[in-house]
């Protein structure tokens, strides 16, 4: 199994659930990727209260490390040299989460290695 999971901390900048969130500081985040489930998608799970999870295209996340990009309900853009912002839109509102770019880069490298390992070997 080539599932990639990485834990990180992120800063909630604005949040659709703001009235329910007590601490708007750094929150634990689980980044995950399962090439067998969906090789194009990564998942971001905020583990605070309430817990939220979003799916986004892996390519979108990678492009957003360098330049502002968006697709559907997700926008990603660099914020200076060391931060990356991910904006998630839902029926409840908008959640804006700021990550350290190094953590996202490390995670993406691991996903590409897992995807390569999951590809069938040609005969």
């Amino acid at each position: 199994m080539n599932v990639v999971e990485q834990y990180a901390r992120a800063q909630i900048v604005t949040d659709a659930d703001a009235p329910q969130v007590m601490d708007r500081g750094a929150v634990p985040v689980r980044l995950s990727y399962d090439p067998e489930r969906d090789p194009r998608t990564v998942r971001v799970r905020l583990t605070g209260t309430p817990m939220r999870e979003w799916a986004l295209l892996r390519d979108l996340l990678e492009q957003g490390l360098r330049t502002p990009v968006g697709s559907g309900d997700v926008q990603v853009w660099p914020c200076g040299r060391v931060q990356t912002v991910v904006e998630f839109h839902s029926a409840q509102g908008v959640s804006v989460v700021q990550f350290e770019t190094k953590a996202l880069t490390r995670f993406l490298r691991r996903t590409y290695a897992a995807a390569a390992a999951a590809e069938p070997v040609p005969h």
Side-chain angles (χ1 to χ4, degrees):
M1 188 121 136
N2 297 312
V3 175
V4 174
E5 285 190 351
Q6 179 175 312
Y7 291 88
R9 295 193 68 73
Q11 191 82 14
I12 296 176
V13 179
T14 63
D15 196 322
D17 299 313
Q20 300 172 21
V21 176
M22 300 303 287
D23 178 13
R24 292 175 57 101
V27 296
V29 176
R30 185 183 79 185
L31 305 167
S32 62
Y33 172 73
D34 184 346
E36 293 176 13
R37 180 178 176 188
D38 185 351
R40 297 178 49 215
T41 302
V42 297
R43 297 188 177 282
V44 176
R45 175 182 245 175
L46 298 180
T47 58
T49 304
M51 188 274 303
R52 288 146 306 191
E53 183 174 287
W54 297 278
L56 66 148
L57 294 174
R58 183 173 58 159
D59 291 345
L60 182 75
L61 181 59
E62 182 179 16
Q63 291 172 17
L65 299 178
R66 297 181 303 278
T67 187
V69 294
S71 177
D73 295 338
V74 179
Q75 308 292 315
V76 184
W77 65 89
C79 182
R81 293 171 160 183
V82 297
Q83 302 290 319
T84 300
V85 175
V86 184
E87 181 178 287
F88 302 99
H89 294 254
S90 70
Q92 292 76 34
V94 178
S95 294
V96 180
V97 184
Q98 188 173 32
F99 293 88
E100 284 190 21
T101 301
K102 282 192 303 188
L104 295 177
T105 301
R106 186 171 40 252
F107 171 68
L108 286 169
R109 281 190 199 131
R110 293 179 63 212
T111 69
Y112 285 107
E119 290 179 2
V121 177
H123 293 121

